[in-house]
Amino acid sequence: MNDIRTPRLLLRRWQEDDLLPLAEIHADPTVMQWIGDGRPRSLEETAEDIEAWEEEWDEEGFGLFAVELLGSGELAGAVGLYVADSPPELAGRIAIGWRLGRVYWGQGYASEAAHAALEFALQDRGIDQVVAAPRPGDSASANVLDKLGMKAEGSAQDPVHGHDLRLYSIDLTEFEG
Ligand SMILES: CC(C)(COP(=O)(O)OP(=O)(O)OC[C@H]1O[C@@H](n2cnc3c(N)ncnc32)[C@H](O)[C@@H]1OP(=O)(O)O)[C@@H](O)C(=O)NCCC(=O)NCCS
């Protein structure tokens, strides 16, 4: 995979020195409140996440990108693709997700990175459809999904944590590159 450049960001695979800045992002309860069980993740869990994302890149040819600010080289967070394992409605489908450190919110970085990740999925990799499953209270993600042109397609329940989920999808014909 070649790195992707947007006007302000570099999307690339993970490297060893991403561990500490990502662990700092994962230690913030406000960042993590809508992700998984809603708890912050430890340094060890963050290392496991990076390992799993890199495995997905090796096996599938896509994954979550490390998102770096062009210029300063700071790691802003993780945005990209993964194979969903739940809820059952999405199992095996390719989903998009995002998490940025709090200091990088409100600057359009998440939408810029997510748009580039969708373009990579739908245009470059020829993936038929990309889905997303935010929780109803996660209005920041709903805003990003709207800006990407992703369409609501119903709701579901997270079988592990019991949360309600909103389901979204987009295909190439709906994507504005
Ligand atoms: C979800 C998340 C990634 C969204 O980040 P975000 O910064 O709010 O999203 P955006 O990149 O779209 O930026 C939002 C705002 O930046 C502002 N902005 C400032 N400068 C901008 C610029 N140059 N270009 C575009 N927008 C800009 C805009 O006002 C925009 O808001 P608007 O769409 O209402 O106009 C972030 O809140 C996050 O990491 N949350 C925690 C993790 C999480 O919950 N993940 C999802 C779990 S499934």
Side-chain angles (χ1 to χ4, degrees):
M1 199 277 306
N2 292 326
D3 294 345
I4 298 175
R5 274 169 194 267
T6 68
R8 298 179 296 167
L9 304 169
L10 175 67
L11 276 59
R12 57 163 174 76
R13 286 186 60 165
W14 295 86
Q15 40 195 57
E16 256 171 50
D17 60 2
D18 294 324
L19 175 59
L20 289 182
L22 185 66
E24 214 170 291
I25 293 169
H26 277 178
D28 181 341
T30 307
V31 171
M32 300 307 289
Q33 66 176 327
W34 303 114
I35 298 176
D37 62 8
R39 284 188 304 112
R41 293 180 70 69
S42 68
L43 183 70
E44 290 70 28
E45 290 169 319
T46 302
E48 288 166 14
D49 289 336
I50 293 180
E51 199 180 325
W53 297 339
E54 275 298 303
E55 260 174 44
E56 189 146 46
W57 271 110
D58 289 339
E59 284 166 16
E60 306 285 354
F62 59 77
L64 260 89
F65 293 93
V67 178
E68 183 181 309
L69 299 197
L70 283 175
S72 73
E74 290 158 74
L75 183 79
V79 174
L81 308 161
Y82 61 98
V83 180
D85 53 10
S86 73
E89 291 85 342
L90 296 192
R93 293 165 75 183
I94 297 167
I96 189 164
W98 35 69
R99 69 195 61 170
L100 297 187
R102 223 181 324 162
V103 294
Y104 306 106
W105 295 3
Q107 301 177 67
Y109 291 142
S111 296
E112 188 169 318
H115 189 272
L118 265 191
E119 189 168 77
F120 168 73
L122 298 170
Q123 292 182 352
D124 302 348
R125 289 296 326 279
I127 291 168
D128 291 339
Q129 190 188 50
V130 175
V131 297
R135 288 177 56 190
D138 181 3
S139 55
S141 290
N143 185 34
V144 175
L145 288 158
D146 284 346
K147 288 190 283 182
L148 292 172
M150 292 189 70
K151 300 279 180 303
E153 63 164 49
S155 56
Q157 203 168 30
D158 180 330
V160 181
H161 306 108
H163 308 136
D164 290 334
L165 299 170
R166 296 262 157 80
L167 306 182
Y168 288 75
S169 70
I170 190 165
D171 65 26
L172 184 57
T173 63
E174 297 161 330
F175 178 65
E176 287 179 21

